[in-house]
Amino acid sequence: MLADAYDFLLKLLLVGDSGTGKSCLLHHFLENQFKKDSVNTIGMEFGTRIVHIADKSIKLQIWDTAGQERFRSLTRSYFRGAAGALIVYDICNRETFLGVHSWLSDVRSLANPELVIILVGNKSDLAEEREVSYLEASRFAQEHEMMFLEASALTGDAVEEMFFKCARSILSKIEIGHI
Ligand code: GDP
Ligand code: MG
């Protein structure tokens, strides 16, 4: 079998305010390590990793913003063809949680309406500096029909899970014919 053979290619998007840890989460998932200085990810468009779910090989193509989120200038092509989106906020920065509203409306208006959306509260390792409770965020996610989890790009906690959860949910939609 070819090293690069796969059954599905899924495009996933990382969105959320700048500084929430999107690039570190992606880097951790792709290279399994925490990257303190992510400045040089500027210019990076996406990273890929093949994962195995059930008996399928799934190629995840994960798109990261390269600073455009600061100006809210993501183009339609960023959203085109996406099967899933992970909206990231920082649990220690309430403003980034409030920012989730507008990311959600961008995702809902610019992407496929069947898109799977996961809300990710990052920096769970800094729980003592927390400004957004788990309960508040999980209620918000439920009200807006998103899945929810907290993760840490520093410790790696739930980083694999956030991408696998997204992929599994997309696959189950594909199997029941919704995509
Ligand atoms: P982006 O702008 O959303 O891509 O955010 P970055 O990935 O560049 O991260 C912004 C800052 O948060 C950097 O200084 C990272 O070192 C830090 N950071 C990212 N994830 C975590 C985390 O899970 N825990 C802690 N403590 N710091 C993090
Ligand atoms: Mg970044």
Side-chain angles (χ1 to χ4, degrees), residues 19-24 34 36 38 122-123 125-126 152-154:
T20 52
K22 300 179 296 300
S23 299
C24 289
F34 182 67
K36 284 207 163 65
S38 49
N122 188 38
K123 309 196 187 181
D125 57 287
L126 297 176
S152 168
L154 177 65

Side-chain angles (χ1 to χ4, degrees), residues 49-143:
R49 177 172 153 188
I50 293 185
V51 298
H52 303 280
I53 297 176
D55 57 348
K56 301 277 193 296
S57 296
I58 321 292
K59 184 169 185 167
L60 300 179
Q61 185 188 75
I62 307 161
W63 288 55
D64 186 17
T65 49
Q68 306 96 322
E69 77 275 32
R70 231 177 265 278
F71 313 104
R72 304 197 56 86
S73 59
L74 300 186
T75 56
R76 276 186 183 272
S77 62
Y78 184 75
F79 293 93
R80 192 173 301 129
L86 299 113
I87 304 181
V88 183
Y89 70 95
D90 172 351
I91 68 160
C92 306
N93 181 339
R94 186 155 191 91
E95 211 178 306
T96 66
F97 179 66
L98 300 177
V100 170
H101 280 278
S102 45
W103 290 112
L104 185 58
S105 75
D106 283 4
V107 166
R108 289 245 156 90
S109 62
L110 293 169
N112 172 355
E114 292 295 336
L115 191 88
V116 167
I117 306 175
I118 307 212
L119 179 65
V120 179
N122 188 38
K123 309 196 187 181
S124 63
D125 57 287
L126 297 176
E128 69 284 1
E129 294 170 38
R130 177 191 287 281
E131 291 183 0
V132 182
S133 77
Y134 185 93
L135 188 63
E136 179 182 9
S138 69
R139 281 192 181 137
F140 178 83
Q142 210 172 6
E143 277 163 24

